[in-house]
Amino acid sequence: MGRKTFKRSRSHFTDRITADGADGWPVEADRYRLVISRACPWASRAAISRRLLGLEGALSLAITDPLQDDRSWRFTLDPGGKDPVLGIRFLHEAYDARESEYPGGVSVPAIVDVPSGRLVTNDYQQLTLDLATEWTGLHRPGAPELYPEKLRDEIDEVMEGVYEDLNNGVYRSGFATGQEEHERAYGDVFRRLDLLSERLAGRRYLVGETITEADIRLFVTLVRFDAVYHGHFKCNRSKISEDPVLWAYARDLYQTPGFGDTVDFDHIKRHYYGVHTGINPTGIVPAGPDLAGWLTPHHRDQLGGRPFGDGTPPGPVPAGEEVPADHRP
C-alpha cells in the first residue's frame, strides 16, 4: 500500500461577508470577530490585511494560544481561558454552533458572527480578498488597494505559483512520508524561490509599484522560513537570509507598518516545534535563529515603488494587540 501524499484540506465553510450580503452575511462594523493564531501563516495574511486596511475598529480580533490540543485552538491567553467577546474556550465551539457534529478540522483564520456565536467562514483564500474589496466602506482613510482590479489577473497568476510551490510546498516537504515525495516538494520550494528572487531583483514588489495581496501571501512564508521551515520542514538547501534579494525584500516588508508588527516569532516557533510531534517528538524548540537581522537596512527603496500607493501607512497597533517585545527582534 503506497504512502499518502500530504494534501491540504479545502475550506468547508465558504460563505462570504459582502457589501450586498448575498450569502446572508452583510458587512457590518462590530458584528464579526476574526480569530487568528499568530503562528499560522494563513491566519497571518488576515492579520496583516486587517492592519493595512485599518479595519481594527470594525472587525475585532481574537488571538489563540499557539499550542492547540485535540479540542482545537484554545483561548488560554485570555483571562479565565475564555475569549472575552465570544465567551468560548475553544474555537470548535463556534464551528459546532454552525454545524453540529462537524467532522472536519478546526482551522484559522476564522470569522465568527458575534450575535449568534456561529462560524461564518474559514475560507482563508477568499477571506482576505473580501476584506480588500467588500469591506471598502469601513476601510481607514488612506487604506491601500491590496487587490486593484486592473492588476488582478497578474496578481492571481503570481499567487497561484506561490501557493502551490511555496506556501503549501513547505508543508508538502515537511509532512512527506516518503523520500521521493519530499524531494519533489523540496524541488518545488526552491525552484519557486529562485524564480521569485529573479523577479524581485529589479522591482520592489511582486506586482505593480505598491504592496498587494501577492506580497502579503509571499511574506508570511518568507518570515517563517529560517525559523521553522528550513530545519523543521527539511527545506534546507539554503536560508532566506542567504539570498540577498529575498532577504532584503522580506526585511523591507517586515519593517513596513502592518507587517512586522503582527509577527510573533515565539508563537511561530512554539507552535511548529511543539505541535508537530510526528516530526519533532522531543518537543524541543530551537533557541535560534538570531532575529536581529530583521531590523537591518534593506535599501529596497532604491528600486522605487510606493508601499501604500496614494495612501498612507496604518496607525499604531491598537492597545492589547501588540506583539510582546521579547517575541520580536
Side-chain angles (χ1 to χ4, degrees), residues 145-153 155 210-213:
E145 281 193 81
L146 298 178
Y147 196 48
E149 192 165 359
K150 65 181 180 180
L151 296 177
R152 286 181 190 175
D153 288 346
I155 291 172
T210 64
I211 290 166
T212 67
E213 175 81 11

Side-chain angles (χ1 to χ4, degrees), residues 124-322:
Y124 63 94
Q125 297 283 51
Q126 185 63 41
L127 191 156
T128 50
L129 300 181
D130 284 343
L131 291 182
T133 60
E134 297 291 335
W135 290 64
T136 53
L138 296 175
H139 288 181
R140 64 178 175 87
E145 281 193 81
L146 298 178
Y147 196 48
E149 192 165 359
K150 65 181 180 180
L151 296 177
R152 286 181 190 175
D153 288 346
E154 186 178 359
I155 291 172
D156 290 347
E157 181 181 2
V158 170
M159 291 194 306
E160 182 179 4
V162 168
Y163 172 78
E164 293 294 340
D165 294 339
L166 189 58
N167 297 147
N168 200 44
V170 292
Y171 283 83
R172 290 191 289 113
S173 171
F175 287 113
T177 57
Q179 188 65 38
E180 290 185 7
E181 180 189 349
H182 161 70
E183 290 184 9
R184 282 196 302 271
Y186 174 100
D188 289 342
V189 166
F190 286 102
R191 177 176 58 82
R192 183 60 55 181
L193 285 173
D194 289 343
L195 289 171
L196 290 165
S197 183
E198 291 175 14
R199 182 182 183 94
L200 289 164
R203 57 193 303 165
R204 192 171 180 186
Y205 303 112
L206 280 172
V207 182
E209 297 296 311
T210 64
I211 290 166
T212 67
E213 175 81 11
D215 296 294
I216 296 172
R217 295 191 182 194
L218 175 55
F219 173 79
V220 297
T221 295
L222 296 184
V223 80
R224 288 162 173 76
F225 200 93
D226 290 5
V228 291
Y229 301 148
H230 179 270
H232 185 59
F233 277 177
K234 304 179 181 67
C235 296
N236 63 355
R237 187 199 75 179
S238 54
K239 297 176 180 177
I240 298 302
S241 57
E242 294 169 350
D243 182 303
V245 172
L246 293 179
W247 180 222
Y249 168 81
R251 298 197 324 273
D252 184 7
L253 291 178
Y254 184 87
Q255 295 171 32
T256 299
F259 283 84
D261 54 31
T262 70
V263 176
D264 189 319
F265 284 104
D266 176 78
H267 280 204
I268 289 168
K269 289 168 57 178
R270 285 201 290 130
H271 171 76
Y272 281 90
Y273 289 106
V275 171
H276 301 156
T277 54
I279 299 174
N280 186 41
T282 65
I284 293 172
V285 179
D290 184 356
L291 302 177
W294 283 100
L295 300 181
T296 58
H298 53 76
H299 305 298
R300 292 280 295 180
D301 50 325
Q302 296 175 6
L303 294 172
R306 298 176 298 149
F308 303 101
D310 294 330
T312 57
V317 177
E321 295 185 10
E322 305 95 337

Side-chain angles (χ1 to χ4, degrees), residues 18-42:
T18 57
D20 63 6
D23 283 0
W25 306 103
V27 171
E28 291 181 19
D30 303 318
R31 174 172 175 176
Y32 305 101
R33 190 155 174 83
L34 173 63
V35 182
I36 68 163
S37 162
R38 292 205 190 275
C40 171
W42 322 103

Side-chain angles (χ1 to χ4, degrees), residues 58-131:
L59 176 63
S60 66
L61 183 70
I63 301 171
T64 68
D65 189 311
L67 298 175
Q68 81 264 50
D69 58 27
D70 57 3
R71 294 166 294 183
S72 80
W73 296 99
R74 54 193 188 178
F75 296 102
T76 52
L77 302 180
D78 294 303
K82 282 188 176 183
D83 179 80
V85 174
L86 299 173
I88 58 178
R89 293 184 180 277
F90 300 94
L91 182 55
H92 80 75
E93 296 174 58
Y95 278 67
D96 292 345
R98 170 69 184 270
E99 182 178 309
S100 180
E101 305 298 324
Y102 165 62
V106 176
S107 63
V108 288
I111 293 185
V112 179
D113 177 51
V114 174
S116 67
R118 298 168 62 206
L119 177 78
V120 176
T121 180
N122 67 344
D123 189 351
Y124 63 94
Q125 297 283 51
Q126 185 63 41
L127 191 156
T128 50
L129 300 181
D130 284 343
L131 291 182

